[in-house]
Amino acid sequence: MLVRDFKREFYDVVQHQRVLVLVAFDVDSLCGCKILQYLFQCDQVLYTIVPVTDLQELEKAFLENAEGIKHVVLINCGATVDIVDLLQPEDHVRFYICDSHRPVDVHNFYNAVQVKLLMREDELSTIPTYDELFRDDSEDSGNESEDSDTGYKKKKFDEESIIRRQEKRRWSENRVKVLFDYTKFTSYGTSAALVMFDLAWKLSKDTNTLLWLAIVGVTDQYIHFKTPRDKYMEDILTLQSHVSRHNQRGGDNENTLSINSLKISFEEELNFPLYRHWTLMDTICHSMPIACKLRLWSLKGQKRLHEFLAEMGLPLNQCRQQFGAMDANLRSEVKGKIQEFMSKYGLDIQDVILPSFSLHYGYKSQLCATDYVLSSIAVLESGDKSRSSTDNFLEACDILQKGCTDKMEAGLSAAKLQLRSIYTQVQSFLEMHQIISAGPFLYVFVQEGTADSSYFAHPQCSIRLARFALQAHCAVSRNKRAQSLPLVLGAPLRQEEGTSLVVGIPPLDTDDERKNFFGKAFEQAAEATNTTAKFNNFDSYIIEMKSEDKSKFFDALISILQ
């Protein structure tokens, strides 16, 4: 059931109870969790937070922590499956789902007792009507009468019962069609962090710190290609009004001395990853749109980059040192110079400028929202096998903690390594011509034993690698259909078990919608070939399968998508 009044139907209900909070493994979920945690701490609500990476862990976490729990909050997990059927809870347990994954399972939407959806009503308008999905079959039982001789019930095979059976068959066929049309594409709604911030605002407990968490959550969705630019801009404008309001009243209720003050400002940021903490040369090379349009993985592309920098009047020795150490005059002119000469090198304004927000905390260096997203996800999806997923979760929480400089520096270093690995892998794909057309889609595999392959055993990093590979392939391909072809990427997951992670992303020409059809396609291909694929991820277009089953799985996928 959809919750329309978050305060009355959700927060007031759980305020004096013990709450279990299950949180998915992405930055938006982390931000939403920290906002809710702050609200609970304000009102002394008892809570337990458990991070979960997939549906199996979700089930395990609930079983281990369900004792004495009546209220469970799920952040970015649980909306796309029948949560009551999956977890088999006691009748008194209530689930509050704040999840940006779409489509929402119809049983969650129409369960008026145990499931409460913390979502925006306008984003659930495509759900089929109740009568299309559920039917009362009590009338059919009325077509039976008891035989006086045998005592057994028998059907009245009259004309009326035949018509009713035909109607039921037509209704069943229509239900299958309606459900398929509803679930064939996966997409994303409003960021969980933004929904939680909206709750904090309505409770009059919003602060600049919570506002920054909402900004990071929205930015995470955009960076990982979950929402189109129009939706991102819509959310940014909403957040900008809150930023203006907080700046007018002096930000948080903190000491206004500059050493303690936290201020958020709206800026047109350079769309270069971590540029304030890297060299200009490195950040340009690892910027996906510029790297692809200038083909920076080739010698010719590097030459064009040097020409571009020379035309802007930026010496190479300046571009090869930390951005913060560049000559102050040159540093201040970088954004304007790039905008002045970008069209000559085939770059659009969206390639080099990203409307976003920056955080200023005391005398410390300025940080933008993308810095927080990239450093947090690099820590969340760390390849260090000596650390547990819970360790990574807690360290990522520290990065989002105000004034935690050491953790942020470590996160930025990890993010640079992750970006280098993605760029190097894409360069290898192109040089070895590993991106292959299968007809209706492209596919590529990260080879076992590849250096840094451990990075790509994680969903968010694999999605960014797949997107970079697709964009780079379209930049060099002579095939005019390349822009309309989706990409399937496989990467080694657990080599000792012989499993692979498979990710499917939509074509570039559907960027205005960001709808993904691979969830249903993977499901049909696995069913057709009896492949032991695990649909365990919260995103249906990310699956785990045996490496030996790849060939027959892809053959089935080709026939389905043709």
Side-chain angles (χ1 to χ4, degrees):
M1 185 184 76
L2 183 67
V3 172
R4 289 179 169 82
D5 187 338
F6 285 14
K7 180 183 182 300
R8 183 173 58 84
E9 297 177 56
F10 164 55
Y11 196 77
D12 289 350
V13 174
V14 305
Q15 191 169 352
H16 302 295
Q17 305 287 333
R18 184 165 161 244
V19 183
L20 173 63
V21 184
L22 303 176
V23 190
F25 245 68
D26 60 71
V27 179
D28 177 37
S29 308
L30 194 61
C31 294
C33 171
K34 285 187 72 67
I35 294 172
L36 185 62
Q37 184 182 14
Y38 174 84
L39 297 178
F40 283 170
Q41 288 171 348
C42 286
D43 294 306
Q44 299 180 337
V45 177
L46 293 173
Y47 62 88
T48 302
I49 294 175
V50 183
V52 291
T53 56
D54 52 39
L55 291 169
Q56 191 174 339
E57 280 203 9
L58 173 65
E59 194 172 358
K60 180 183 175 184
F62 177 73
L63 289 172
E64 290 178 350
N65 297 277
E67 187 177 351
I69 292 289
K70 294 182 179 179
H71 301 281
V72 183
V73 179
L74 298 99
I75 300 180
N76 275 347
C77 56
T80 58
V81 294
D82 184 349
I83 197 67
V84 174
D85 182 61
L86 176 71
L87 301 181
Q88 299 291 318
E90 299 289 336
D91 291 342
H92 63 265
V93 177
R94 301 290 180 267
F95 296 97
Y96 301 88
I97 303 177
C98 178
D99 192 351
S100 61
H101 292 92
R102 304 288 183 272
V104 173
D105 188 273
V106 293
H107 295 90
N108 292 337
F109 184 81
Y110 286 110
N111 188 324
V113 178
Q114 286 191 274
V115 183
K116 314 292 182 183
L117 301 177
L118 307 178
M119 301 172 185
R120 294 186 176 178
E121 187 173 1
D122 59 331
E123 294 176 357
L124 303 178
S125 58
T126 59
I127 289 184
T129 62
Y130 183 88
D131 291 337
E132 289 177 306
L133 299 170
F134 305 102
R135 177 186 171 98
D136 184 5
D137 288 333
S138 59
E139 292 181 359
D140 294 335
S141 62
N143 296 329
E144 298 178 349
S145 63
E146 190 171 302
D147 191 299
S148 58
D149 296 327
T150 64
Y152 290 107
K153 291 183 178 179
K154 62 180 182 179
K155 286 277 185 181
K156 291 180 180 177
F157 290 103
D158 54 15
E159 187 176 346
E160 186 180 350
S161 67
I162 292 171
I163 292 171
R164 283 176 178 167
R165 285 199 300 274
Q166 288 175 341
E167 287 177 353
K168 183 179 179 181
R169 187 177 67 251
R170 282 195 295 269
W171 176 86
S172 298
E173 290 171 353
N174 182 66
R175 183 182 189 274
V176 171
K177 181 181 180 301
V178 165
L179 269 176
F180 179 82
D181 290 341
Y182 173 63
T183 59
K184 65 181 176 182
F185 291 113
T186 56
S187 58
Y188 294 86
T190 299
S191 150
L194 185 54
V195 172
M196 285 297 173
F197 176 77
D198 194 49
L199 171 63
W201 175 45
K202 288 173 181 174
L203 294 171
S204 300
K205 290 184 171 71
D206 58 315
T207 66
N208 248 357
T209 303
L210 301 191
L211 178 54
W212 180 250
L213 290 170
I215 289 167
V216 173
V218 168
T219 306
D220 172 60
Q221 280 196 318
Y222 183 70
I223 283 179
H224 288 100
F225 314 104
K226 295 178 179 179
T227 51
R229 194 176 179 94
D230 288 347
K231 170 64 175 169
Y232 170 74
M233 292 304 300
E234 179 186 322
D235 291 340
I236 285 295
L237 289 173
T238 301
L239 289 164
Q240 191 177 2
S241 63
H242 288 294
V243 169
S244 300
R245 177 170 56 84
H246 277 270
N247 285 343
Q248 284 180 353
R249 74 180 194 186
D252 291 358
N253 297 323
E254 299 173 339
N255 192 330
T256 55
L257 292 173
S258 58
I259 194 168
N260 291 324
S261 65
L262 184 150
K263 186 179 179 182
I264 302 170
S265 60
F266 176 78
E267 292 185 21
E268 289 196 329
E269 289 281 340
L270 284 170
N271 193 17
F272 299 161
L274 311 177
Y275 73 91
R276 289 190 179 90
H277 317 279
W278 220 349
T279 70
L280 191 60
M281 184 72 80
D282 279 329
T283 189
I284 289 176
C285 286
H286 293 85
S287 170
M288 190 183 303
I290 296 182
C292 292
K293 288 196 174 179
L294 297 184
R295 304 180 189 182
L296 296 181
W297 50 82
S298 66
L299 289 173
K300 189 176 179 181
Q302 287 291 321
K303 185 179 177 182
R304 278 176 64 80
L305 175 58
H306 290 170
E307 289 175 4
F308 185 34
L309 295 172
E311 197 149 4
M312 289 190 293
L314 298 173
L316 285 178
N317 65 336
Q318 289 283 324
C319 297
R320 285 177 175 150
Q321 59 183 313
Q322 289 290 318
F323 185 80
M326 288 177 65
D327 181 272
N329 292 330
L330 290 175
R331 191 170 66 239
S332 63
E333 294 174 357
V334 167
K335 189 190 298 183
K337 291 284 187 182
I338 289 175
Q339 288 179 269
E340 183 180 346
F341 293 100
M342 64 182 183
S343 57
K344 182 178 178 180
Y345 289 84
L347 302 174
D348 300 325
I349 188 68
Q350 293 184 7
D351 297 331
V352 297
I353 296 296
L354 178 68
S356 186
F357 296 90
S358 293
L359 180 72
H360 308 260
Y361 180 62
Y363 298 125
K364 295 181 175 65
S365 60
Q366 182 179 350
L367 292 161
C368 65
T370 54
D371 295 339
Y372 272 83
V373 172
L374 293 173
S375 58
S376 298
I377 198 63
V379 169
L380 273 177
E381 298 191 337
S382 170
D384 187 351
K385 293 184 179 180
S386 65
R387 298 175 60 83
S388 68
S389 57
T390 305
D391 293 335
N392 294 335
F393 182 86
L394 293 173
E395 190 165 338
C397 284
D398 289 340
I399 288 174
L400 295 171
Q401 195 72 28
K402 182 174 61 180
C404 202
T405 310
D406 293 342
K407 298 289 186 181
M408 172 56 80
E409 289 296 330
L412 291 171
S413 298
K416 290 174 188 176
L417 291 174
Q418 196 178 69
L419 287 166
R420 288 186 194 277
S421 298
I422 292 172
Y423 178 81
T424 303
Q425 188 61 61
V426 170
Q427 188 176 20
S428 175
F429 285 158
L430 296 172
E431 288 177 352
M432 301 182 72
H433 305 286
Q434 291 178 313
I435 302 176
I436 300 167
S437 174
F441 62 90
L442 303 165
Y443 68 89
V444 65
F445 297 110
V446 178
Q447 300 300 314
E448 288 189 15
T450 303
D452 301 330
S453 61
S454 60
Y455 283 109
F456 312 122
H458 300 283
Q460 305 298 318
C461 190
S462 288
I463 288 168
R464 280 157 55 206
L465 173 63
R467 175 69 183 209
F468 203 150
L470 178 58
Q471 207 161 321
H473 175 77
C474 291
V476 299
S477 176
R478 296 178 181 177
N479 184 356
K480 294 180 180 178
R481 289 182 59 239
Q483 293 276 341
S484 62
L485 292 176
L487 175 77
V488 178
L489 179 138
L493 185 59
R494 286 183 288 273
Q495 293 187 22
E496 64 277 4
E497 298 177 16
T499 57
S500 296
L501 187 74
V502 179
V503 176
I505 63 168
L508 296 183
D509 63 5
T510 62
D511 261 6
D512 291 342
E513 295 181 337
R514 297 275 167 90
K515 289 185 176 180
N516 196 322
F517 55 81
F518 273 113
K520 271 292 179 194
F522 284 167
E523 186 181 317
Q524 291 176 345
E527 189 177 338
T529 57
N530 290 323
T531 303
T532 54
K534 284 187 180 178
F535 292 82
N536 202 25
N537 201 280
F538 299 126
D539 296 296
S540 60
Y541 56 84
I542 302 173
I543 66 170
E544 178 185 336
M545 63 185 294
K546 288 285 187 182
S547 302
E548 61 192 30
D549 293 335
K550 282 191 293 190
S551 58
K552 66 177 182 180
F553 178 82
F554 275 79
D555 288 341
L557 195 59
I558 290 168
S559 63
I560 288 169
L561 295 178
Q562 274 179 342

